Amino acid sequence: MRAAEQVQVPPADFQSYYGKPILKVTRWKEPHLPGYLFLGELSGALAVVGAVAHATGRRSLARTARLAATAGAYAGGATLALELGRPERALHMLRVAKPTSPMSMGSWILSVHSALVSTAAASEVTGRLTGLGNAAGVASAVTGPLLAAYPAVLLADTAVPAWHAAHRELPLLFVGGAMTAAGAAGLAASAVSHDRSDFGAAYRLAMIGAAVESLGGYGLETMPGLVGEPYRSGSGGQLLTAARYLTVSGGVAALAARGSRVAAVAAAALLTGGGLCAKFAVLRAGKASAADPKYVVASQRPTASSHDGG
Amino acid sequence: MTSSGTSLNGRLDDVSGDAGYAGHPQRVGFFTDTSVCIGCKACEVACKEWNGLPEPDAFTLTGMSYDNTGGLGASAWRHVAFIEQDVISEIADGAATRWLMSSDVCKHCTHAACLDVCPTGALVRTEFGSVVVQADVCNGCAYCVSACPFGVIDRREDDGRVWKCTMCYDRLRGGLEPACAKACPTDSIQFGPLDALRETAHTRLAELHAAGQGEARLYGDDPDDGIGGAGAFFLLLDAPEVYGLPPEPVVTTKDLPSMWRWAGASAALLAAGVAVAFAGRRQ
Amino acid sequence: MAECHPVAFQWVIEAKARGATVIHVDPRFTRTSAHADMHVPSRAGGDIVLLGALINHVLSGGHEFREYVTAFTNAADILPEDYVDAEDGDGLFSGYDPKTRTYDNATWQPTGERDLTLTHPRCVFQVLKRHFARYTPGLVNEVCGISPADFGRIAATLVAASGRDKTTAWVYAVGWTQHSTGVQHIRTASILQMLLGNMGRPGGGIMALRGHANIQGATDVPTLFHLLGGYMPMPGAGDDMASYLSRMPDTGLWGNKRKFLVSMLKAWFGDAAIAENDYCFGYLPRITGDHGTYRTTLDMIDGTVQGYFLLGENPAVGSAGGRLQRLALASLDWLVVKDLTMIESASFWRDSPEIASGELVTERIGTEVFFLPAAAHVEKAGSFTNTQRLLQWHDKALDPPGEARSDLEFIYDLGKRVRAKLAALDGTAAERDRPVLDLTWDYPEEGEHPEPSAASILAELNGYGADGAPLSSFTQLADDGSTRCGSWIHAGCFADGVNQTARRRPWREQSWVAPEWGWAWPANRRILYNRASADPDGKPWSQAKAYVWWDEEAGAWAGHDVPDFELTKPPSYVPEPGASGMAALSGADPFILLKTGKAAIFVPSGLQDGPLPAHFEALESPLRNRVYRQDNSPVAIDYRERRPTRAQAAGHATTFPYVVTTYRLTEHHTAGAMSRNLSRLAELQPELFCEVSPALAAERGLQNGGWATIVTARAAIEARVLVTGRLRPLRIPGEGVIHQVGLPYHWGSEGLVTGDSVNDLLPFVLDPNVFIQESKAATCDIRPGRRPRGPARQELVNSYRRQAGLGETP
C-alpha cells in the first residue's frame, strides 16, 4: 500500500523565497553609471553641435563643442574603466566586436567616437589637417547620437524588469538629456561670454531637449503595471519626480534667460541637475526592480499581480 | 530556425555547433530531481572543494530554515534551498508539514543572456554545451550580472571578476562527471547527455503525478521556452518562485533588435533636434 | 537517518522508488520526514507506549505470524507461579529490592515447560498479552501526543507489510537508546518484530544506525568496560576461568565459549598463556563495580581517578553535564588528549563556562594537560564497521602532517615504552607487571616513522591455526591453546591471508546480497539468524522472501547468504537430552546465540530493568506516568545529587515546563571538533540554534533569528532561534499542550564557529544496562534574549533551582 500524500498548498497571491531577490542587483555604481551616462550624452550631442556649427560657419562654437566633446568622451571612458572590477583590463572591451552585446557595440562606438572627436578637436586647435579633421567631425556627428542612445539599449538588454520594459522610454530620456545637457552648456557659456550669437541655438536645443527628456520621463513614470512601480515609488520615484521639477523649472528659467544672465545660469544648472537626477533615478529604479522578487514574478505572470502597488 | 549564425531565441538543437564547434561531443547537463533531495549539502561542499572557492568572511545564521548559504553567487555555485510549508494533508489529520529542498545551480541556458551581453568575449560556450567564464579575459564589467534572468552570476568584489558554475569543465574534459553530481548520495543531481536526462525527467514526472503529486513539474526542460531550454533543468514540487526562481524567464536578448530600432530612432531624433536648434539665423 | 546518515539514506530513497512505505516517528519533522510517506510527531520518551500499543494491536487482532512465533520464539515458555508482572506490580516486576534499587531475577526463570498452543495463562504469550493490554491507542494519545487516527494508520501499514510475503524493518538510533529506558525501547521493537515474524528475514529486522566514529567497531573489539571482544563479558572480581565461563550459556554458539576465550588469551599473551595458568586468565582486568564513564567522571572529582586518556573523545561537549565533565578534568593530575584539533576537553583550563564564571581559575587547576595531534582517517589504514556489521577496509592515502600520529601508533609506542621501563626495573619484574610484559606486542611496522601494520592487527583478530595459517572460520577454534584469535566474531575476515574486508567487487558483478563487498561478522553472514527465513521444515516462508533454505539433496543449508546455522544440521534434528553447545539446539532453533535458540520475547536474565519492557517517564518529564504508579524506571542509574521527591518533581515540572530534546544535524559531526574547524561545513550551520514551534515562540516571546536562553536544573545556554512548523505542540488529553524545544548539540568554545555546549543542560541519568545517558528527554525553560555572562550565568540557574525547590547547584 502506497501512502501517497495528497497535498494542497494554500493559494497565495505571490510567493517568494524568503523575500530574497531572484536577480542579482546590478553591480554598477554611483556616481559612475549616471556620471558616464551624462558625459557620454553630452559628448554625443556636442559632437553633432560641433558638426552643425562647423557647417554653418560658427567656427568658435565648433571648436569649443569639439573640445568639450573630446573631454566628455575621455572622461566618460575613464569613468567606465573605473567601474570595472579590473580597470587594468579595460582594453579587453575591444577584444571582440559582438553585435549581441550592447556594451561591446557601445565600447566600439565610444572608442571610434573618441578617436573621431579628438581628431576633429585637434584639427580645430592646431589648424592642421583640416580636411581630415572635418571629415572626422562629420563622422562624429553620426557616432555622437549613437553614443547618446546606445546606453538605453545596454540597460534594457538586461533581466531587470524596470529597465527591460523601458526600452522605448530610456532612449528618449537619454537623447533628450543629451540635447538638454548640450543646450544647458550653451546657455551657461552664453551667460559668461560676451558673444551671445549662439544663445538662440542653445536655448532652442535646451528646450527641445527638455521636452524630449520630459516625454521620456513621463513615459517611465506612467509605465503600466507593477513593473513601473520603481519609477513611481522609493528612491527611483523620488529622484524622477525631482528630475521633473528641476527640468520644468529649468525650462521656465530659460524663458527669461535671453534677458538675464542669472536666469541663464540658473536654467543651465536646473536643467543639468534635472538630467543628472533622472539618470540616478534610472539606476535606483533598476536596483529596486532587481531587489524585490515581486517585479520579476509580476513581469512573467501578468495574472498574479496586475494591481499597481505604487 | 537559422542553420548558420547565432540565433537569439527559440529552439536551438545544436548549441555548440551554433557557437562554432565543428565537431563536438553530445550536449551534457544536469537534471536535478528535487523530489529526492535530502538537503545534505554535499553538493555545496564538493563544489567548493573541487573548485577551491574562497571561504566566507563571516559565519552567520540566516534564519531561513536550514539555508545559511542564501543563494547562488560568485563563491557559491550550488545552493540548497529549504522551504517549509504548512500543507493540508488527507493523511495526517489536516495540518501537516512539507519541506521542499532543492539544489540550485547555473542553468547553462541554451540562449544565455550572460554570454550574449559579455563585451570581452570572456563568457563562452564550451564544446559540451555549457557556458563558462574565462577568468583571464573577464574585466569585471558586471554586465552579465544584470543580464542573467536567474540571478546566478556575480562579481567577486575583492577579485574584480565574475564567477559561476563551470559544470566542472576540467572534470568533463577528463571524462569525469561534475563534483556535485558525484557527491550527491540520492542521485538528486543527475548528470549526462541532455536528451537522455529529459527522457528520464519525463518518466519521473509521470511517476509523481500517478502517485498524486500533482504540483510536480519540470522547469527548464522545454527547448521551446524563453531560454531555449536549460542545460541544467529541474523537477520542482511547487511553483518556481517558491524556490526563488523566475516563473517564465526569457532571454533578454530576444528583444534586442527592437531595442536597437528605438535607439536608432532616438539617435536620429537627436541629430534632428540639433539641426532644428541651429536652423535659422544666428542671434 | 537523512540527517545523520545521508549517504545510507539513499537506500531508503531507493526502497521508496521500489514501492516501500516509509513512516517516520520523531518529535521533529526532519530531513528524513520530508521523504517519509508519513511523519508522526511524538513526545520524546514515549516510544515504549507506541511500540507497546502496536504489540497490543497485533495480539488483539490476531495479526501475529503464528507459526513463526510458535516455532521460533520463547512464546510457549511457561513462567513460574511466583512471577509478578509489572502490570500487577504497578510498574515493578517481582524481585525488586528498593534498598539496592536492583532486581533479583530468580522469579523470572521459565519452568522448562512449554505450551505450543500458547493458551496457558502463564505462558510468555499470554503474559505478554496481559502486560500490554492497557497500551491502547488512547494511551498512545495521552503519552505520546499521537492521534488515534495516526496510530491506526501506522498499525495498519505495519500489519499489512508483515507476514509470509512481506517484511518490515525498523530503523533507529540514539532517539531510542539515549533514554533511561533505552534498552527497553529496543526490546519493545524486537518483541514486535518477533510477533510479526520480521527477524532473520530479508527486509526485516531492526537496524541500529551506527558507524559514526566507528562506533560499531568500538563495540565489537571493544572499548566498553564491561565487554571483552566478541561480546563476551568482562570478568568480575573473584572470577576464575571456570566461574567466569559458567555464567555464559552452555548451549548454542556459546557452547564454544571456552574456545573463544582461550584463543583470545593466546592471541593476547602468546607463549605465556598455557593451560597451567588458565591461559593467563588471571591477567585480565576485573569489574568491581560501575566503571562507566559517568561514574569515572565523578570519581575524578572525588579524587580517586588521577589520570585520563582521551583519544578522539570530547566529553566537555559530547557527554552530558558539561560542567561536571570540566570540573572532573580540572581535578585530574594528568590528562592526555589526542585529537585532530584543540578540543574543549583540552582547553577547558583556559576557556570554559567555569573559567568565565570564576568557578575554576586557570592558575589553580593542577591538571597537567598533554595534547597530542592525531592522524585523520585518510592518514592511516584500518577498517570501519557499520550498522550491518560490515567491515570495510580503507588504505592510507597520505602521511599525517608534522607530529600527528594515529592512535594505533600511539598506543603501540606507549606500550613499547612502558614495557621497556618495566623490564628495566632491577631485573625482577613484579607480579603486577607481568600482564603488560607478557602481552604479545610485536606487530610488523611499516612506513616512514614506523607504525604498526593495521592489517596485521586485523589478521590477529582473524586468528591463526595450530599450523600458523590464518583461520577461515570460528569453527576452527580450539580450547587447548593451539589456536590464537583476537575476536571470534572476526574469524574469517582474513581467511586465506587475504584481507576480506578490502574486497570491493561492484554490485553489478555479484548477487543482490553482494557478499564480496567488504566482510560482515560473523563468517560474512549478511543477515543474522537467517535460518528464520525458512519455516521449521526448512522451506522458505514464501518465494518472495526466500533467503536461506534446506537443500535435502545436498544435505545442507543453501541460499543467497551464508547460512547462520550449522551447515549440515537438518531441520528435523532433535537434540539429545543433556546435550550442550550447538548440539543442544534443534534444527528449528535459528537464534543460535541465545541459550534456547529461540528468540526471546521474554528475557529471563541479562537485563537490569525487567524481562519485558514497561513505560517509564524520563527522569525529567513534564508528565506523570500514565501507565503505572511508578513514574520513572526503578533501576535507572541516577547520579543526581539528590533524587527529587514527588513534590520536588512537581516543582521541577512547573519551573521547567518544556521538553528539551537534543539531536544532530547533517552539516556537523558529533561534538563538532571535526566540523566546526572546517569552513566548508562551519558555514553551512554556523551558529547554535534552537527549534521551537510558532505557538511556543508566541508564548515565550521568541523571534525567528533572535536569541533565546534555555535553562535546566544544571545550566543555562543561549542559542539563536528558528521558529518552525516542523515542531508541533502536542495535545495531551488532560494536560493541554506540551511544547518541545529542539537543540542540536554540536557547538563548543573552540573552532571557526563557536557556541554554547548543549549537553551542559543534561543530567547524569543513565540506562542501567548499558550506561547510556538520557540525552533525548529532559525539561527546560526557554526565554528570549541572550544569557548572562560571568558568575551571573550560574546565578540564573540557581534562581531556577530555588524556584523548583532543588537548592543551589551542588
Side-chain angles (χ1 to χ4, degrees):
Chain A
M1 175 202 122
R2 195 159 170 108
E5 183 142 342
Q6 302 299 324
V7 161
Q8 303 162 44
V9 179
D13 256 7
F14 161 71
Q15 301 171 95
S16 75
Y17 186 69
Y18 302 98
K20 292 203 65 124
I22 290 174
L23 306 174
K24 286 283 183 277
V25 175
T26 181
R27 287 285 180 183
W28 296 327
K29 301 195 282 285
E30 296 175 356
H32 304 67
L33 177 69
Y36 169 71
L37 293 173
F38 177 79
L39 291 168
E41 282 172 10
L42 183 61
S43 175
L46 287 175
V48 181
V49 167
V52 170
H54 187 94
T56 58
R58 295 167 160 98
R59 295 309 306 277
S60 152
L61 174 60
R63 187 172 79 209
T64 309
R66 283 168 172 176
L67 278 169
T70 304
Y74 283 104
T79 306
L80 280 185
L82 286 175
E83 265 256 77
L84 296 175
R86 289 288 181 102
E88 71 275 15
R89 293 185 180 181
L91 289 179
H92 284 202
M93 292 301 197
L94 303 178
R95 283 181 82 247
V96 298
K98 205 161 139 187
T100 62
S101 169
M103 193 182 281
S104 174
M105 295 291 93
S107 301
W108 283 102
I109 292 170
L110 177 62
S111 304
V112 170
H113 177 84
S114 304
L116 291 172
V117 87
S118 48
T119 301
S123 172
E124 292 276 0
V125 167
T126 62
R128 294 180 186 286
L129 295 171
T130 51
L132 176 67
N134 287 335
V138 169
S140 78
V142 174
T143 60
L146 290 174
L147 187 66
Y150 94 85
V153 180
L154 191 149
L155 291 178
D157 193 22
T158 61
V160 179
W163 289 348
H164 190 90
H167 71 269
R168 294 175 209 85
E169 292 83 355
L170 288 174
L172 279 177
L173 185 72
F174 291 161
V175 306
M179 289 188 278
T180 309
L187 285 175
S190 77
V192 302
S193 93
H194 299 298
D195 178 2
R196 316 257 345 245
S197 55
D198 299 315
F199 173 85
Y203 167 79
R204 279 188 294 275
L205 188 58
M207 294 303 252
I208 293 170
V212 172
E213 199 176 7
S214 297
L215 185 63
Y218 177 76
L220 290 178
E221 281 182 306
T222 57
M223 186 180 291
L226 196 59
V227 80
E229 188 181 88
Y231 296 116
R232 292 187 280 276
S233 66
S235 184
Q238 286 166 357
L239 282 168
L240 210 51
T241 305
R244 181 170 13 107
Y245 281 118
L246 288 169
T247 302
V248 168
S249 316
V252 167
L255 290 170
R258 180 177 292 281
S260 159
R261 291 179 189 273
V262 170
V265 170
L270 289 165
L271 287 170
T272 305
L276 283 169
C277 275
K279 292 159 190 41
F280 275 86
V282 168
L283 178 57
R284 298 265 176 107
K287 286 185 164 173
S289 179
D292 192 327
K294 72 180 181 185
Y295 298 118
V296 172
V297 175
S299 67
Q300 292 170 15
R301 281 205 206 287
T303 51
S305 282
S306 52
H307 62 274
D308 181 346
Chain B
M1 252 9 284
T2 59
S3 56
S4 63
T6 312
S7 61
L8 294 180
N9 66 292
R11 180 181 280 255
L12 178 58
D13 287 325
D14 183 3
V15 71
S16 295
D18 187 75
Y21 291 94
H24 61 82
Q26 247 182 325
R27 186 176 181 187
V28 290
F30 291 121
F31 164 45
T32 303
D33 179 0
T34 70
S35 72
V36 294
C37 174
I38 56 174
C40 73
K41 307 176 190 174
C43 52
E44 288 198 34
V45 175
C47 171
K48 285 174 180 164
E49 271 299 284
W50 178 262
N51 293 294
L53 300 186
E55 298 172 6
D57 294 319
F59 298 89
T60 45
L61 188 90
T62 63
M64 291 165 26
S65 187
Y66 280 10
D67 175 6
N68 291 301
T69 303
L72 292 174
S75 299
W77 300 351
R78 270 276 177 191
H79 158 242
V80 181
F82 291 82
I83 302 119
E84 301 185 20
Q85 297 175 324
D86 291 321
V87 298
I88 301 145
S89 168
E90 275 179 17
I91 288 190
D93 280 345
T97 302
R98 187 167 75 156
W99 205 2
L100 302 178
M101 295 161 210
S102 167
S103 177
D104 195 13
V105 73
C106 168
K107 314 305 175 287
H108 293 275
C109 310
T110 298
H111 295 291
C114 63
L115 197 164
D116 285 343
V117 303
C118 175
T120 61
L123 276 153
V124 293
R125 179 81 55 185
T126 71
E127 63 270 39
F128 298 101
S130 54
V131 177
V132 302
V133 186
Q134 300 173 89
D136 52 344
V137 175
C138 173
N139 64 10
C141 79
Y143 196 0
C144 54
V145 175
S146 293
C148 174
F150 302 98
V152 170
I153 194 167
D154 202 1
R155 184 171 72 188
R156 262 185 222 158
E157 291 309 296
D158 55 353
D159 173 273
R161 296 170 290 182
V162 299
W163 300 85
K164 73 169 192 71
C165 164
T166 65
M167 206 183 278
C168 282
Y169 189 30
D170 49 355
R171 290 178 66 94
L172 296 193
R173 297 185 85 169
L176 303 172
E177 62 180 329
C180 55
K182 180 86 180 160
C184 177
T186 59
D187 250 6
S188 174
I189 300 174
Q190 298 178 35
F191 173 80
L194 201 58
D195 294 336
L197 289 177
R198 285 174 179 165
E199 274 183 46
T200 305
H202 283 103
T203 307
R204 175 65 178 156
L205 186 69
E207 274 172 25
L208 289 172
H209 285 162
Q213 293 234 47
E215 295 245 348
R217 71 202 70 189
L218 295 180
Y219 179 79
D221 66 303
D222 182 2
D224 291 313
D225 72 16
I227 57 167
F233 69 99
F234 299 78
L235 189 153
L236 304 176
L237 297 178
D238 205 334
E241 52 265 42
V242 170
Y243 295 84
L245 296 166
E248 272 156 46
V250 177
V251 64
T252 181
T253 326
K254 173 167 180 272
D255 299 320
L256 191 58
S258 162
M259 294 176 194
W260 277 117
R261 281 195 292 275
W262 278 89
S266 301
L269 180 62
L270 192 160
V274 175
V276 164
F278 278 85
R281 53 197 175 77
R282 293 181 74 167
Q283 25 150 318
Chain C
M1 187 177 180
E3 295 279 347
C4 304
H5 302 266
V7 178
F9 195 76
Q10 69 182 293
W11 306 120
V12 176
I13 299 280
E14 181 76 21
K16 270 191 74 176
R18 298 184 192 197
T21 303
V22 177
I23 297 177
H24 185 227
V25 179
D26 197 293
R28 306 177 303 134
F29 186 102
T30 68
R31 284 174 267 204
T32 302
S33 324
H35 291 277
D37 294 292
M38 185 181 176
H39 170 244
V40 183
S42 67
R43 182 171 65 96
D47 284 15
I48 289 179
V49 171
L50 171 65
L51 294 165
L54 288 170
I55 290 173
N56 189 20
H57 175 89
V58 166
L59 294 174
S60 311
H63 300 298
E64 71 274 8
F65 189 162
R66 194 76 174 198
E67 296 130 301
Y68 183 104
V69 172
T70 311
F72 290 161
T73 76
N74 68 358
D77 286 8
I78 295 178
L79 297 172
E81 280 190 25
D82 52 0
Y83 168 74
V84 178
D85 188 76
E87 178 61 14
D88 304 310
D90 220 352
L92 298 175
F93 297 93
S94 48
Y96 182 64
D97 179 357
K99 278 203 269 311
T100 60
R101 299 184 78 244
T102 58
Y103 276 110
D104 176 344
N105 61 23
T107 56
W108 306 349
Q109 304 311 308
T111 58
E113 288 167 39
R114 312 188 75 222
D115 170 24
L116 292 173
T117 68
L118 306 185
T119 54
H120 188 290
R122 278 185 288 112
C123 79
V124 165
F125 192 79
Q126 295 299 330
V127 168
L128 183 75
K129 255 190 159 168
R130 275 203 312 277
H131 178 89
F132 284 114
R134 285 187 304 114
Y135 287 66
T136 59
L139 184 71
V140 172
N141 194 14
E142 283 181 48
V143 174
C144 309
I146 298 173
S147 72
D150 277 354
F151 176 82
R153 282 184 208 105
I154 300 172
T157 309
L158 176 62
V159 162
S162 305
R164 276 184 184 262
D165 296 301
K166 289 176 183 262
T167 51
T168 295
W170 286 82
V171 179
Y172 78 91
V174 293
W176 273 0
T177 60
Q178 288 180 346
H179 293 280
S180 51
T181 53
V183 167
Q184 295 299 343
H185 276 66
I186 295 127
R187 274 280 300 140
T188 325
S190 51
I191 291 171
L192 182 60
Q193 290 292 69
M194 286 180 237
L195 293 175
L196 292 170
N198 278 326
M199 291 302 221
R201 302 181 61 210
I206 302 181
M207 180 173 290
L209 295 177
R210 300 165 69 88
H212 273 200
N214 198 18
I215 203 169
Q216 183 64 48
T219 323
D220 298 338
V221 178
T223 59
L224 303 178
F225 76 88
H226 66 308
L227 290 179
L228 287 176
Y231 296 95
M232 292 193 286
M234 192 70 76
D239 262 335
D240 60 12
M241 189 190 267
S243 68
Y244 167 79
L245 288 171
S246 73
R247 283 205 303 282
M248 291 159 64
D250 288 316
T251 53
L253 263 188
W254 289 115
N256 300 306
K257 54 193 171 178
R258 219 187 117 82
K259 299 176 188 171
F260 299 159
L261 179 67
V262 169
S263 303
M264 172 187 282
L265 294 169
K266 284 298 287 186
W268 290 2
F269 299 107
D271 296 334
I274 53 179
E276 288 74 12
N277 62 22
D278 264 351
Y279 301 98
C280 295
F281 181 83
Y283 285 174
L284 293 176
R286 299 293 199 271
I287 294 186
T288 56
D290 173 2
H291 304 286
T293 177
Y294 289 96
R295 179 72 255 160
T296 306
T297 302
L298 292 170
D299 289 344
M300 292 179 202
I301 296 177
D302 290 343
T304 55
V305 172
Q306 290 91 37
Y308 204 23
F309 285 93
L310 284 176
L311 274 59
E313 186 76 23
N314 191 9
V317 173
S319 292
R323 174 174 162 270
L324 287 177
Q325 300 291 338
R326 293 181 292 265
L327 291 180
L329 297 174
S331 308
L332 295 165
D333 289 348
W334 55 269
L335 169 68
V336 176
V337 179
K338 194 160 178 305
D339 216 303
L340 299 172
T341 66
M342 183 54 64
I343 59 173
E344 291 76 4
S345 299
S347 65
F348 70 93
W349 54 270
R350 58 168 166 78
D351 183 9
S352 61
E354 293 70 39
I355 296 287
S357 71
E359 186 173 5
L360 285 177
V361 178
T362 301
E363 292 75 22
R364 295 213 285 269
I365 295 175
T367 316
E368 191 169 359
V369 181
F370 300 86
F371 184 87
L372 304 174
H377 69 285
V378 294
E379 295 163 351
K380 53 192 179 182
S383 64
F384 281 103
T385 308
N386 76 1
T387 195
Q388 296 159 287
R389 295 164 285 105
L390 184 70
L391 281 80
Q392 295 177 94
W393 189 259
H394 64 90
D395 293 319
K396 178 176 175 175
L398 72 167
D399 283 320
E403 295 186 321
R405 299 283 182 270
S406 68
D407 295 347
L408 173 59
E409 186 181 336
F410 170 71
I411 296 286
Y412 188 57
D413 195 11
L414 184 66
K416 281 198 287 186
R417 293 177 195 225
V418 167
R419 283 156 57 92
K421 282 185 185 290
L422 291 177
L425 287 176
D426 72 13
T428 53
E431 186 75 23
R432 186 186 68 184
D433 299 331
R434 290 269 26 116
V436 177
L437 288 171
D438 286 345
L439 280 172
T440 56
W441 204 254
D442 54 355
Y443 303 99
E445 290 175 298
E446 54 196 18
E448 215 183 273
H449 41 80
E451 62 184 292
S453 154
S456 70
I457 291 168
L458 186 68
E460 183 186 73
L461 290 173
N462 176 81
Y464 298 93
D467 55 357
L471 297 172
S472 51
S473 164
F474 61 78
T475 56
Q476 296 169 301
L477 294 176
D479 64 359
D480 60 3
S482 59
T483 57
R484 292 170 282 142
C485 175
S487 169
W488 71 271
I489 56 175
H490 289 87
C493 73
F494 228 105
D496 305 320
V498 172
N499 187 344
Q500 308 291 336
T501 70
R503 296 179 304 167
R504 293 288 187 277
R505 191 185 207 107
W507 61 270
R508 283 174 212 83
E509 296 173 24
Q510 48 178 328
S511 78
W512 60 275
V513 170
E516 289 180 72
W517 181 284
W519 187 90
W521 66 258
N524 206 23
R525 294 166 181 170
R526 299 300 168 119
I527 292 182
L528 274 183
Y529 303 135
N530 55 34
R531 187 252 174 276
S533 64
D535 65 19
D537 296 326
K539 272 174 54 270
W541 291 108
S542 69
Q543 273 313 112
K545 292 284 175 175
Y547 195 68
V548 151
W549 52 83
W550 174 251
D551 183 340
E552 186 62 51
E553 262 187 51
W557 290 88
H560 300 297
D561 193 0
V562 175
D564 192 14
F565 209 60
E566 281 180 295
L567 206 56
T568 54
K569 174 187 278 180
S572 54
Y573 171 81
V574 172
E576 300 283 324
S580 70
M582 285 300 290
L585 301 185
S586 79
D589 290 332
F591 294 86
I592 57 179
L593 273 167
L594 299 183
K595 195 159 137 175
T596 61
K598 306 270 184 237
I601 289 179
F602 185 94
V603 174
S605 60
L607 294 179
Q608 304 303 315
D609 45 1
L612 287 175
H615 169 73
F616 297 106
E617 287 294 319
L619 268 66
E620 284 192 358
S621 166
L623 299 180
R624 304 290 303 278
N625 193 346
R626 300 291 180 105
V627 191
Y628 312 105
R629 225 167 62 91
Q630 176 73 19
D631 280 321
N632 312 115
S633 166
V635 298
I637 299 178
D638 183 356
Y639 292 123
R640 293 175 298 177
E641 273 293 316
R642 271 179 292 278
R643 197 155 298 112
T645 63
R646 263 204 142 81
Q648 283 175 330
H652 187 112
T654 320
T655 311
F656 301 107
Y658 309 117
V659 174
V660 60
T661 187
T662 63
Y663 48 83
R664 299 155 204 249
L665 302 167
T666 310
E667 296 86 342
H668 280 291
H669 192 62
T670 60
M674 288 171 73
S675 53
R676 277 185 286 115
N677 282 288
L678 284 176
S679 73
R680 302 289 188 219
L681 296 177
E683 64 174 285
L684 299 176
Q685 290 285 14
E687 297 187 54
L688 170 64
F689 61 87
C690 62
E691 295 187 298
V692 295
S693 68
L696 178 58
E699 188 174 300
R700 297 303 277 145
L702 307 170
Q703 305 285 335
N704 187 58
W707 284 94
T709 297
I710 298 100
V711 188
T712 67
R714 284 148 300 279
I717 63 163
E718 63 182 15
R720 299 289 296 278
V721 176
L722 281 186
V723 179
T724 168
R726 293 178 294 101
L727 256 317
R728 284 188 188 278
L730 299 170
R731 302 212 153 274
I732 305 284
E735 286 293 330
V737 168
I738 295 279
H739 288 294
Q740 305 192 89
V741 176
L743 282 164
Y745 80 98
H746 305 290
W747 277 268
S749 52
E750 298 287 328
L752 271 177
V753 295
T754 61
D756 284 350
S757 294
V758 164
N759 285 341
D760 285 9
L761 298 173
L762 303 172
F764 276 24
V765 160
L766 319 177
D767 173 287
N769 298 296
V770 291
F771 306 89
I772 287 280
Q773 75 280 344
E774 189 160 63
S775 335
K776 284 293 173 175
T779 53
C780 72
D781 183 30
I782 184 168
R783 42 205 271 163
R786 305 190 69 162
R787 60 158 168 83
R789 266 60 193 149
R793 182 180 183 182
Q794 203 58 28
E795 180 45 40
L796 175 65
V797 175
N798 283 332
S799 73
Y800 271 87
R801 287 181 65 94
R802 286 193 289 272
Q803 195 183 321
L806 293 170
E808 306 283 304
T809 303

